[in-house]
Amino acid sequence: MRHNSARPSALVQLAARSVQRAFGELCTPDAVDLFRLAQSRRIHTLELRPLLADGCVFVQDDGFTVQADDKKTEVIRLRDQPVTRRLTVKQRFTFAHEIAHTLAYDTSVALPRISPEVLRSIESAGERARPESLESFCQIAAGFMLVPPKSLRHKKVLGPWGTIDSLDQIRRLARRFEVSPEVIIHRVA
């Protein structure tokens, strides 16, 4: 398998299709409600706590628990509606990345289980070993969740020629979608 430092187009296309298939209309033209996306993938708990990593996901009998790094510990039960907790930009990306990990699972069964077919597709499209391909897939999918493709097609989002023409515009879009400027740059590129 050859190593490629750029994001392979097959992996980008796979991530886009996977996000569209899993979330469809839940990805709105403005800042996406990640709690709704998480619930649709059977994530029932978000634990904010001090971690050495940005985040992780745990498979449980009744779905998934996601942990994300925070200075304080807080447990958010996603079944308790409405969830009013605001996440930082970094936590939003981490949460979206961990939601993307669940796309590699069959959630139609009682205990979610990894889908070997999906993992093979990700590995093949990623042109790397499975762990690197899966992490790249989740990074790309997180970007598609946070800034859906149809959101970028609106003329009011991008400039009149469908481009970004200033740093101010990047900052404005980052605030609109509640993401970092880097996410906007990756999504537009």
Side-chain angles (χ1 to χ4, degrees):
M1 196 170 297
R2 94 189 146 111
H3 178 75
N4 185 351
S5 62
R7 294 177 168 189
S9 62
L11 190 62
V12 173
Q13 292 168 7
L14 178 62
R17 284 192 314 271
S18 298
V19 168
Q20 178 58 38
R21 187 172 41 252
F23 305 115
E25 296 305 312
L26 291 177
C27 293
T28 60
D30 289 307
V32 171
D33 182 349
L34 289 176
F35 297 115
R36 285 185 59 207
L37 268 59
Q39 288 172 324
S40 76
R41 294 299 300 166
R42 294 183 52 201
I43 297 171
H44 53 73
T45 307
L46 171 62
E47 297 178 359
L48 301 173
R49 63 181 59 242
L51 296 173
L52 295 176
D54 291 335
C56 55
V57 63
F58 297 99
V59 180
Q60 298 177 317
D61 291 338
D62 57 347
F64 302 93
T65 292
V66 170
Q67 291 183 343
D69 188 39
D70 196 69
K71 292 177 183 168
K72 296 181 180 180
T73 299
E74 179 181 355
V75 176
I76 302 167
R77 305 269 182 232
L78 302 186
R79 294 179 182 138
D80 301 338
Q81 282 295 328
V83 177
T84 57
R85 173 66 152 82
R86 295 204 36 109
L87 301 175
T88 66
V89 165
K90 184 172 183 172
Q91 287 170 335
R92 281 179 55 79
F93 190 85
T94 297
F95 194 25
H97 176 98
E98 299 308 329
I99 293 169
H101 272 285
T102 70
L103 297 174
Y105 285 81
D106 178 358
T107 59
S108 67
V109 294
L111 174 65
R113 72 187 118 142
I114 200 84
S115 170
E117 301 82 31
V118 172
L119 285 180
R120 279 193 294 277
S121 296
I122 291 170
E123 184 177 14
S124 175
E127 301 175 355
R128 296 180 177 164
R130 185 168 292 161
E132 293 93 0
S133 291
L134 179 59
E135 288 305 309
S136 292
F137 170 84
C138 291
Q139 292 291 96
I140 297 165
F144 280 113
M145 280 183 246
L146 293 165
V147 185
K150 66 175 144 183
S151 296
L152 291 177
R153 291 188 200 118
H154 293 299
K155 290 185 178 173
K156 293 179 183 175
V157 172
L158 297 178
W161 296 282
T163 61
I164 290 179
D165 56 8
S166 71
L167 289 174
D168 285 338
Q169 190 176 17
I170 291 172
R171 287 187 200 106
R172 182 178 52 77
L173 290 172
R175 281 190 305 275
R176 175 181 179 164
F177 292 104
E178 298 178 34
V179 298
S180 68
E182 292 82 6
V183 170
I184 296 297
I185 290 166
H186 277 285
R187 285 295 296 116
V188 171

